[in-house]
Amino acid sequence: MAAGALPTPDDGWARVLLQAGAVAGLWAIATFLIAAAALPQMDPQCYSDSPTGGRVCPLQRDPVLTHLFDVRWPAVPEAVTVSGVLLTMLLGIGLAIFLDTSEPWSERGGAPTAAGIVSGLLGGGLGLLVAGPGFVHPLIALGVTALGALLALLGSLALRAFLRALRRRYAGHLRREQLREHGTRTVSRITSLDWQYTYPDDDTVFTLTAEFDTRDGRRSVTEELCVPRRDAPVLGGTVIVVHDDDAAHATGIDALLALDPDGLRDPDALEKYPEAPESSPS
């Protein structure tokens, strides 16, 4: 795998691209309908009368303001516009949430939960870019088009950041796999032990520092260790450090920690370290 290459999703690119394209398409339709169909039905001189639910407009309307949002697009009935906007927005939001929660790269280091948002921004920008030139008033056309360009720019920047984070997590995943397959396993003394949190399944996460001897001298590593709460290690006990000769890897992952099957366990771990709160994320 070339350095910086994108990881293939667990179920392949076709499924992810299809879902991302669907999110973008739905948001493009929603923003287009809002701009090209809903906005022209608004008269800035009128306002809603809350008690009756009707619209109150002045007797003498300014024709410039009345036709401020006129478009060259065919008129769409208000009921159809509202239904279309609500349907596409709800479907777009739901599919975006599903895309992120399905974790397409869970077996390859994971990915930021932002694929749905990125797709929505790009789709929303596209919808406004298409709708903008359809306005009759040049300033409105320019404003809607500029807003679409801004959303598209934000989506492009978000996509760039997403892909960069995806590559970084994948590089970390490959580094861990490399250490697990080819690293040296050394029993090391625990010199620092700090409890961080407990998962709902009762696995406990510690940040600990371990020291061990190498051919280049004594070495110290600080990493996280996740173990069942009942198997919590003790300060001065031992863990297994999986390492190689690279003490300053580009990924920042210099070693992995594993529970020493022969190491000391904290007999008071269940009382000392709290269970996960009910609201804690798994």
Side-chain angles (χ1 to χ4, degrees):
M1 181 68 67
L6 285 174
T8 301
D10 301 342
D11 296 324
W13 280 108
R15 181 174 180 178
V16 171
L17 292 177
L18 180 63
Q19 292 177 352
V23 172
L26 288 167
W27 274 99
I29 294 172
T31 53
F32 177 83
L33 287 175
I34 291 172
L39 201 56
Q41 297 176 19
M42 297 174 56
D43 189 332
Q45 302 172 92
C46 302
Y47 62 92
S48 176
D49 184 13
S50 298
T52 63
R55 293 178 182 175
V56 179
C57 301
L59 294 177
Q60 299 295 328
R61 298 190 191 183
D62 185 337
V64 175
L65 293 178
T66 300
H67 300 286
L68 186 63
F69 298 124
D70 283 0
V71 293
R72 300 181 181 90
W73 305 105
V76 179
E78 183 176 0
V80 176
T81 300
V82 173
S83 299
V85 170
L86 290 177
L87 180 62
T88 52
M89 285 187 66
L90 290 175
L91 287 176
I93 293 173
L95 189 55
I97 294 174
F98 175 78
L99 175 59
D100 286 331
T101 56
S102 63
E103 299 182 356
W105 288 275
S106 61
E107 298 179 5
R108 290 167 173 80
T113 54
I117 296 175
V118 171
S119 302
L121 283 173
L122 292 172
L126 177 61
L128 293 180
L129 284 172
V130 173
F135 284 87
V136 175
H137 197 289
L139 289 180
I140 300 300
L142 180 61
V144 173
T145 303
L147 181 57
L150 178 60
L151 284 179
L153 176 61
L154 291 175
S156 299
L157 294 175
L159 177 60
R160 180 183 178 185
F162 176 83
L163 295 178
R164 184 165 56 244
L166 187 61
R167 289 189 179 96
R168 184 171 61 250
R169 295 191 183 194
Y170 185 49
H173 168 74
L174 293 179
R175 170 62 173 162
R176 293 185 185 94
E177 289 296 311
Q178 177 190 28
L179 287 172
R180 292 188 184 103
E181 293 178 8
H182 307 292
T184 301
R185 287 163 171 77
T186 303
V187 177
S188 309
R189 184 72 57 184
I190 300 174
T191 59
S192 174
L193 179 68
D194 295 310
W195 173 83
Q196 298 298 321
Y197 49 86
T198 302
Y199 284 115
D201 60 2
D202 217 33
D203 281 351
T204 306
V205 177
F206 297 92
T207 297
L208 61 83
T209 300
E211 292 184 351
F212 57 98
D213 293 321
T214 68
R215 61 186 180 185
D216 297 323
R218 196 158 188 80
R219 183 175 164 188
S220 174
V221 296
T222 300
E223 296 287 345
E224 286 190 347
L225 175 68
C226 181
V227 296
R229 193 159 57 104
R230 64 179 180 276
D231 292 330
V234 295
L235 187 64
T238 56
V239 291
I240 303 295
V241 177
V242 186
H243 61 95
D244 56 15
D245 294 333
D246 193 345
H249 196 268
T251 62
I253 302 173
D254 301 328
L256 300 177
L257 299 181
L259 194 65
D260 181 4
D262 299 322
L264 296 175
R265 302 290 187 269
D266 191 338
D268 301 322
L270 296 179
E271 291 75 28
K272 182 184 299 183
Y273 302 116
E275 298 180 3
E278 295 183 0
S279 60
S280 176
S282 59

